[in-house]
């Protein structure tokens, strides 16, 4: 290892910051903004202790534990306890995603696109660039931690003291930096930036599920997951700093591993092998739909497997829920306004809304690829062959819709298998299919918005992810906080009937389908006539 | 003094041997051409020289320093222009040039303005809006504005128009006049021919020819066009004459460089009407190596 701090390090730091500051501000701004807005909203929504206690009762069950982590202060559900229980884990995951994307963009993508090579030909140490990237990640996470702590602290909400607020912010920042270091390790192991993203997101998902299963069944599993440590800070209740120390130690460990691996490998190389491909195109590769599928098949399969596992996890949690429910008479009364349906069936709709939103990610990714290919100039080339824009557009759209259907299908199968295997009174496959597929029209509307952006304003392509995140927040918090219908209507997922509890409104679903078709047609017409970018 | 010393450098990627005992030296003040077909190992060699990948075996030195262990000291005195350039979309060309110069410790550069003018370059645009040639100009201007001792170019003109190619060649001549050393990897053989003192041809990871152009020419055959008033019947039997063809009463053939004397003596008896000979171009040399080895141009 050479000298880490030098004149070059500071020039390089400023250079990278110049490229990244807009993205950094958007990320930090949105995270801090949502956090503060929710904290402020809580005080208005649940001003009386009785109301908070009522919410606490609905939170204290295995399904919610699997989703949010254990509820540590159910007997005394203060604003602080409620806020950290419902917000900390998902905000930490958002911060982790920000770090994964940023470190991959700064390190492996930079290397893959040959930009690192030019920088490395200048008088800088071989590890300076990696060091600078992690230094910036550290700065970003620190800024996030301080801004979050400061802005919650300043609200001066009862039961949310400065110590707790500081811990809340630091937990977010520390988790972020942990995932930055982890991504840096994967950036050395994997031979590509796609591989780095794949490994990092897979690990994030794995940690989440490990914690979910652990929190419900065996706590030691949660202790193996950094996301398990996040909820164990018991922010605003006990304010434990020990998990932060653990996160810091593991981050440092990953940091050293990444530097060590970095020193051992050649540029553009990784430790995982790259397979040789086939010499000739398969006979199926003639249709653009198949070609587009071939380009993205690893991503598609990974997502479908991931959704299946998500289904299995939720399915096994539902099994637990049943046992829990049977043993608690008080809850039975509190939570069964409609005796016709079991508690499991009442939760099914909420789970499906989460599945539908996560399941919307792969179709949107597939659709966005249309513009990414265009930007690199590859569509231009494809379009000089015997294929027109309409066919290209429709091929991407068809694949996206097929994958949307498969996303729901795979999660449902996962849910069903776990439910049949674990429960004495398993959910019927027909109920599951119905409760899942009512979300399909919402997913196609979301996809329609993606096509609209691609056709009209492709330079804001990433805003679709912001809207999807917004939808998640609305649906997620909406189901926890019983939002009004108009607020839910801001997201296509918000007012989808929760089957089997709610009646299916076919006219509403038909409106969504019609809206999707309209969006597709308008987008296609514009896509046919606009200039290609490149 | 040798600026670059490459001795028996081999590089393996798994089982694949990318470079097999490559050796060459570049002397101070020399413009050295490095040519070879796609996939021959040119970029791998350059990457080893730049300390980005480590050779499996052999020794590589620049300015007498080890390219891996003393990369920083070396990089302070070199300028590199890659062939496949991607820049940072949201920065301007001017910002990127300044960044390079600052990193090199060559900022502010007195030559920058003149170079931008010479290459007819607009530094105010964002990098994402530059064409391939303009992206190359960013790297070329940064390199020529720095005060390096060794310049390494990897196919630097592949996106430039002929006018800019000429500007590039003039700039390299200027470096040479100032006693700088240049390593130029290129596919444009006429460019190498007009710029380089020495040439090294590499194929399938091995050096197959190395030396000055006149040395190389000496070893190979020249093309001759000949017409005589008296008919020659047995030209293909003559010593040192090869590949005889006839085109409109004109003989076209190759002749070994060391057989000219006996040829002239003999041909003078046939009442020569016209004789033209031209030495092999680099392209001829290059092509011949492949044809001799079975003509596999993909290397």
């Amino acid at each position: 290892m050479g000298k880490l701090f030098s004149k070059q390090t500071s020039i390089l730091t400023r250079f990278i910051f110049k490229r990244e500051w807009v993205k950094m501000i958007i990320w930090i701004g949105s995270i801090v903004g949502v956090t503060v807005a929710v904290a402020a909203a809580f005080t208005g929504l649940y001003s009386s202790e009785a109301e908070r206690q009522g919410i606490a009762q609905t939170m204290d069950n295995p399904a919610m534990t699997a989703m949010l982590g254990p509820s540590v202060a159910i007997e005394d559900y203060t604003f602080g306890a409620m806020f950290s229980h419902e917000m900390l884990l998902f905000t930490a995951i958002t911060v982790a995603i920000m770090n994964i994307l940023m470190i991959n963009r700064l390190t492996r993508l930079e290397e893959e696109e040959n930009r690192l090579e030019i920088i490395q030909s200048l008088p800088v140490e071989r590890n300076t660039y990696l060091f600078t990237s992690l230094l910036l990640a550290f700065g970003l996470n620190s800024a996030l931690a301080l801004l979050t702590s400061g802005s919650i602290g300043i609200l001066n909400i009862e039961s949310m003291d400065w110590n707790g607020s500081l811990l809340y912010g630091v937990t977010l920042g520390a988790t972020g930096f942990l995932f930055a270091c982890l991504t840096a390790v994967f950036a050395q192991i994997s031979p590509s930036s796609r591989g780095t993203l794949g490994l990092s997101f897979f690990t994030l998902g794995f940690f989440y599920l490990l914690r979910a299963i652990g929190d419900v069944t065996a706590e030691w599993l949660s202790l193996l997951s950094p996301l398990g440590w996040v909820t164990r800070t018991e922010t605003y209740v006990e304010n434990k700093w020990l998990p932060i120390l653990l996160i810091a130690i593991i981050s440092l460990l990953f940091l050293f591993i990444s530097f060590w691996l970095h020193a051992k490998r050649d540029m553009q190389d990784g430790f995982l092998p790259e397979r040789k491909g086939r010499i000739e195109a398969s006979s199926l590769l003639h249709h653009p739909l198949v070609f587009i599928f071939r380009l993205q098949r690893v991503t598609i399969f990974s997502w479908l497997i991931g959704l299946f596992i998500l289904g299995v996890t939720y399915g096994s949690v539902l099994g637990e829920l049943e046992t829990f429910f049977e043993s608690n008479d008080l809850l039975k009364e509190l939570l069964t306004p409609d005796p016709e349906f079991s508690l499991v069936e009442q939760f099914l709709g909420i789970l499906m809304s989460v599945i539908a939103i996560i399941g919307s990610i792969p179709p949107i990714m597939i659709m966005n690829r249309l513009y990414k290919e265009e930007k690199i100039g590859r569509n231009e080339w494809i379009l000089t062959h015997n294929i027109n824009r309409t066919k290209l557009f429709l091929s991407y759209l068809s694949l996206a819709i097929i994958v949307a259907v498969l996303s729901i299908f795979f999660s449902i199968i996962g849910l069903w298998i776990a439910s049949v295997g674990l429960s004495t009174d398993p959910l019927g496959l027909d109920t599951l299919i119905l409760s899942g597929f009512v979300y399909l029209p919402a997913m196609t509307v979301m996809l329609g918005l993606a096509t609209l952006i691609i056709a009209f304003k492709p330079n804001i392509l990433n805003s679709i992810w912001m809207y999807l995140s917004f939808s998640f927040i609305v649906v997620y918090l909406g189901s926890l906080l019983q939002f009004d219908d108009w607020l839910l209507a801001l997201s296509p997922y918000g007012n989808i009937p929760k089957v089997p509890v709610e009646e299916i409104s076919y006219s509403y679903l038909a409106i969504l389908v019609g809206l999707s078709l309209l969006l597709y047609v308008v987008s296609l017409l514009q896509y046919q006539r606009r200039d290609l970018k490149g | 003094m040798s600026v670059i010393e490459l001795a028996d450098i081999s590089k393996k990627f798994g089982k694949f041997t990318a470079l097999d005992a490559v050796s060459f030296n570049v002397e101070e003040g020399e413009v050295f051409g490095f040519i070879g077909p796609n996939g021959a190992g040119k970029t791998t060699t350059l990457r080893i020289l730049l300390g980005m990948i480590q050779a499996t075996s052999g020794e590589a030195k620049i300015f007498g320093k080890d390219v891996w262990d003393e990369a920083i000291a070396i990089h302070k005195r070199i300028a590199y222009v890659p062939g496949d350039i991607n820049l940072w979309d949201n920065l301007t060309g001017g910002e990127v040039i300044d960044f390079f110069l600052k990193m090199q410790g060559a900022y502010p550069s007195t030559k920058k303005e003149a170079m931008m003018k010479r290459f007819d370059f607009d530094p105010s645009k964002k990098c994402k809006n530059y064409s391939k040639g303009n992206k190359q100009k960013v790297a070329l201007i940064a390199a020529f504005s720095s005060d390096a001792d060794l310049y390494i170019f990897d196919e630097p003109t592949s996106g430039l128009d002929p006018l800019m190619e000429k500007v590039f060649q003039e700039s390299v001549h200027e470096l040479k006049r100032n006693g700088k050393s240049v390593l130029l990897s290129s596919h444009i053989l006429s460019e190498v021919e007009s710029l380089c003192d020495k040439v090294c041809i590499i194929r399938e990871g091995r050096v197959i020819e190395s030396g000055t152009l006149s040395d190389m020419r000496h070893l190979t055959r020249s093309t001759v066009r000949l017409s005589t008033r008296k008919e020659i019947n047995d030209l293909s039997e003559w010593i040192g004459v090869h590949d005889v063809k006839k085109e409109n009463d004109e003989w076209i053939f190759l002749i070994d460089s060391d057989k000219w004397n006996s040829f002239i003596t003999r041909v003078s008896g046939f009442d020569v009407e016209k004789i033209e000979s031209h030495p092999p171009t680099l392209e001829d040399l290059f092509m011949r190596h492949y044809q001799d080895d079975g003509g596999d141009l993909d290397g």
Side-chain angles (χ1 to χ4, degrees):
Chain A
M1 270 206 205
K3 215 167 46 161
L4 289 175
F5 288 97
S6 63
K7 201 176 131 224
Q8 270 72 20
T9 315
S10 79
I11 301 171
L12 202 53
T13 310
R14 268 176 286 153
F15 178 69
I16 301 179
F17 183 72
K18 211 186 233 174
R19 280 154 39 198
E20 291 287 318
W21 69 271
V22 177
K23 285 189 186 110
M24 288 178 168
I25 285 179
I26 292 177
W27 272 105
I28 293 196
S30 335
I31 292 170
V32 174
V34 169
T35 305
V36 171
V38 171
F42 268 18
T43 52
L45 282 167
Y46 309 104
S47 41
S48 81
E49 206 186 315
E51 276 174 299
R52 288 202 296 276
Q53 239 21 71
I55 287 286
Q57 291 304 324
T58 67
M59 287 293 164
D60 189 22
N61 64 67
M64 281 299 147
T65 302
M67 212 157 116
L68 305 172
S71 40
V72 287
I74 285 307
E75 306 74 35
D76 184 17
Y77 211 50
T78 59
F79 281 126
M82 183 160 103
F83 181 71
S84 72
H85 184 212
E86 293 177 11
M87 291 296 293
L88 184 57
L89 183 61
F90 272 92
T91 314
I93 290 173
T94 312
V95 177
I97 292 172
M98 167 183 85
N99 277 277
I100 291 172
L101 292 174
M102 174 171 139
I103 289 296
N104 175 60
R105 189 168 61 237
L106 290 186
T107 62
R108 195 73 216 199
L109 188 67
E110 195 77 354
E111 181 172 339
E112 189 169 283
E113 297 193 339
N114 285 333
R115 286 187 292 258
L116 190 56
E117 187 184 84
I118 322 181
I119 288 180
Q120 217 62 78
S121 78
L122 300 166
V124 282
E125 296 283 349
R126 227 162 262 122
N127 53 23
T128 301
Y129 198 85
L130 179 61
F131 177 73
T132 310
S133 305
L134 288 169
L135 194 69
L136 271 167
F138 187 80
L140 177 69
N141 288 303
S142 307
L144 175 76
L146 292 177
L147 277 170
T148 311
S149 304
S151 43
I152 307 176
I154 251 167
L155 291 178
N156 206 7
I157 298 169
E158 170 211 335
S159 80
M160 291 169 81
D161 58 356
W162 278 100
N163 187 15
S165 296
L166 189 63
L167 180 59
Y168 189 91
V170 170
T171 306
L172 295 181
T175 313
F177 190 62
L178 173 77
F179 277 92
C181 296
L182 186 67
T183 310
V185 172
F186 288 140
Q188 315 309 317
I189 294 174
S190 160
S192 68
S193 72
R194 276 173 170 275
T196 305
L197 280 183
L199 279 174
S200 306
F201 281 121
F202 174 82
T203 311
L204 179 64
F206 173 76
F207 282 152
Y208 178 75
L209 295 181
L210 191 67
R211 180 214 53 79
I213 297 168
D215 283 350
V216 176
T217 58
E219 204 191 353
W220 65 272
L221 282 174
S222 299
L223 297 180
L224 296 178
S225 160
L227 295 178
W229 310 337
V230 166
T231 55
R232 274 159 191 76
T233 54
E234 300 183 19
T235 311
Y236 294 121
V237 182
E238 296 291 329
N239 289 334
K240 292 181 181 159
W241 285 84
L242 188 67
I244 301 295
L245 185 68
L246 192 57
I247 291 176
I249 292 170
I250 299 296
S251 304
L252 276 179
L253 182 71
F254 284 141
L255 188 124
F256 280 114
I257 294 175
S258 74
F259 274 88
W260 181 66
L261 291 174
H262 181 72
K264 277 174 73 95
R265 73 178 176 98
D266 282 342
M267 187 172 269
Q268 304 279 10
D269 200 6
F271 290 93
L272 293 178
E274 264 180 307
R275 284 184 306 133
K276 284 211 171 193
R278 47 199 301 166
I279 293 171
E280 286 183 328
S282 103
S283 57
L284 285 171
L285 205 54
H286 297 305
H287 194 276
L289 184 64
V290 184
F291 178 73
I292 292 160
F293 168 72
R294 172 69 187 76
L295 290 179
Q296 313 195 66
R297 66 176 176 190
V298 176
T299 318
I300 294 172
F301 286 144
S302 313
W303 273 99
L304 292 181
I305 293 168
L307 284 161
F308 175 78
I309 297 172
L310 184 71
V312 171
T313 313
Y314 276 164
S316 48
V317 167
L318 287 179
E320 285 289 322
L321 191 63
E322 215 170 349
T323 345
F324 177 83
F325 181 61
E326 291 304 323
S327 65
N328 193 330
D329 287 338
L330 178 75
L331 254 186
K332 222 180 218 171
E333 241 160 71
L334 263 173
L335 266 176
T336 322
D338 192 344
E340 211 181 306
F341 300 105
S342 71
L343 187 58
V344 172
E345 283 170 328
Q346 292 182 43
F347 266 103
L348 192 59
I350 297 174
L351 291 189
M352 282 302 175
S353 64
V354 173
I355 283 175
I357 291 180
I358 296 178
S360 298
I361 299 174
I364 294 174
M365 278 171 78
I366 291 168
M367 203 61 222
N368 282 358
R369 183 74 181 253
L370 175 65
Y371 179 63
K372 287 187 179 157
E373 291 282 315
E374 175 182 331
K375 213 169 111 189
I376 326 172
R378 284 199 286 245
N379 282 352
E380 211 168 280
W381 189 50
I382 284 180
L383 289 168
T384 59
H385 295 79
N386 188 20
I387 168 173
N388 58 23
R389 291 188 192 196
T390 312
K391 198 168 173 186
L392 192 64
F393 181 93
L394 290 177
S395 298
Y396 274 93
L397 184 59
S398 321
L399 184 65
I401 293 174
I402 293 170
V403 170
V405 172
L406 290 177
S407 294
I408 301 185
F409 183 72
F410 272 69
S411 340
I412 289 175
I413 293 298
L415 254 170
W416 183 66
I417 288 175
S419 174
V420 166
L422 293 168
S423 171
T424 46
D425 179 24
L427 289 158
L429 193 56
D430 50 340
T431 312
L432 284 173
I433 287 180
L434 202 59
S435 68
F437 278 98
V438 284
Y439 278 96
L440 192 61
M443 293 166 80
T444 54
V445 167
M446 199 48 122
L447 189 61
L449 293 173
T451 61
L452 203 66
I453 294 173
I454 291 169
F456 285 90
K457 208 154 172 47
N459 53 333
I460 58 157
L461 194 65
N462 284 328
S463 55
I464 190 74
W465 299 121
M466 295 174 90
Y467 185 55
L468 191 69
S469 313
F470 168 79
S471 293
F472 182 76
I473 294 169
V474 166
V475 171
Y476 169 75
L477 288 177
S479 59
L480 297 180
L481 311 179
Q482 323 276 300
F483 276 175
D484 288 342
D485 277 0
W486 69 266
L487 200 55
L488 290 171
L490 292 178
S491 147
Y493 306 88
N495 283 327
I496 297 289
K498 309 258 183 301
V499 176
V501 181
E502 294 172 16
E503 198 71 33
I504 298 182
S505 156
Y506 286 101
S507 57
Y508 180 64
L509 295 183
I511 290 171
L512 289 185
V513 172
L515 180 62
S516 310
L517 290 175
L518 181 71
L519 288 170
Y520 298 155
V521 171
V522 172
S523 307
L524 178 59
L525 289 175
Q526 168 67 9
Y527 185 72
Q528 284 165 335
R529 49 187 286 267
R530 81 160 160 81
D531 288 346
L532 284 183
K533 312 273 193 280
Chain B
M1 195 194 103
S2 292
V3 172
I4 299 179
E5 295 162 84
L6 213 60
D8 281 327
I9 286 289
S10 297
K11 176 68 188 176
K12 285 186 178 164
F13 294 111
K15 281 182 189 148
F16 172 69
T17 305
L19 295 179
D20 187 7
V22 169
S23 305
F24 62 77
N25 280 13
V26 177
E27 306 299 324
E28 197 175 336
E30 200 168 73
V31 180
F32 190 92
F34 192 42
I35 60 180
N38 300 331
K42 295 190 298 294
T43 301
T44 305
T45 309
L46 296 187
R47 284 197 173 143
I48 288 176
L49 282 174
L50 290 164
M52 284 171 207
I53 61 176
Q54 211 167 1
T56 314
S57 64
E59 203 175 45
K61 286 182 172 175
I62 293 182
F63 308 128
K65 298 184 170 90
D66 186 274
V67 292
W68 182 262
D69 295 330
E70 296 176 84
I72 310 263
I74 294 171
H75 291 182
K76 281 182 183 152
R77 295 171 58 197
I78 67 170
Y80 167 64
V81 176
D84 189 7
I85 300 186
N86 267 309
L87 296 170
W88 298 272
D89 283 357
N90 55 350
L91 298 184
T92 67
E95 281 176 309
V96 173
I97 291 174
D98 284 352
F99 163 69
F100 285 141
L101 291 173
K102 277 180 192 163
M103 289 291 279
Q104 290 237 288
Y107 181 86
S109 163
T110 47
K111 295 181 224 161
K112 189 180 89 176
E113 291 299 322
M115 280 298 163
M116 289 210 259
K117 208 166 190 177
R118 196 189 274 188
F119 279 99
D120 190 21
F121 178 73
D122 173 8
S124 66
K125 281 198 212 163
K126 291 263 165 94
C127 286
K128 63 180 164 198
N129 297 325
Y130 287 129
S131 65
K132 182 177 180 198
N134 276 321
K135 280 181 193 161
Q136 248 162 354
K137 285 184 193 173
V138 171
L140 284 170
I141 290 168
F144 284 121
S145 304
S146 75
D147 194 29
D149 293 317
L150 170 66
Y151 293 77
I152 298 180
F153 298 111
D154 189 3
E155 293 171 35
T157 56
S158 53
L160 297 185
D161 63 47
L163 212 67
M164 286 304 133
E165 209 180 300
K166 209 159 165 69
V167 171
F168 168 76
Q169 295 189 9
E170 278 163 17
S171 306
V172 172
H173 276 301
E174 202 174 278
L175 292 179
K176 193 176 148 69
R177 277 200 298 281
N178 293 329
K180 311 285 189 181
S181 317
V182 177
L183 175 59
L184 170 65
S185 153
S186 175
H187 277 311
I188 303 172
L189 299 175
S190 60
E191 179 179 279
V192 174
E193 201 162 10
S194 70
L195 285 176
C196 297
D197 309 303
K198 262 201 240 160
V199 174
C200 170
I201 303 179
I202 183 174
R203 189 195 175 202
E204 286 175 4
R206 274 183 227 174
V207 174
I208 48 174
E209 187 86 75
S210 183
T212 65
L213 260 168
S214 56
D215 281 349
M216 280 191 190
R217 281 182 180 140
H218 203 69
L219 292 172
T220 43
R221 299 156 181 170
S222 301
T223 310
V224 178
R225 285 173 170 267
L226 172 75
S227 52
T228 52
R229 293 195 181 83
K230 279 186 201 166
E231 189 142 337
I232 312 177
N233 293 317
D234 57 348
L235 188 58
S236 53
E237 314 284 305
W238 292 19
I239 299 163
V241 172
H242 308 269
D243 296 347
V244 179
K245 276 181 288 187
K246 193 155 189 181
E247 222 174 65
N248 309 330
D249 297 329
E250 208 178 60
W251 294 102
I252 302 168
F253 55 92
L254 299 174
I255 184 162
D256 289 336
S257 307
D258 55 347
K259 298 294 185 303
W260 272 110
N261 204 23
S262 63
F263 174 78
I264 296 289
T265 319
R266 194 164 173 186
V267 83
S268 56
F270 288 87
D271 193 2
V272 175
E273 189 176 49
K274 177 185 132 189
I275 183 164
E276 271 176 22
S277 112
H278 56 88
T281 60
L282 191 54
E283 191 165 329
D284 294 329
L285 291 174
F286 193 78
M287 298 305 259
R288 195 153 305 147
H289 277 293
Y290 300 108
Q291 272 139 24
D292 288 352
D293 292 344
D296 178 12
L297 279 172
D298 287 332

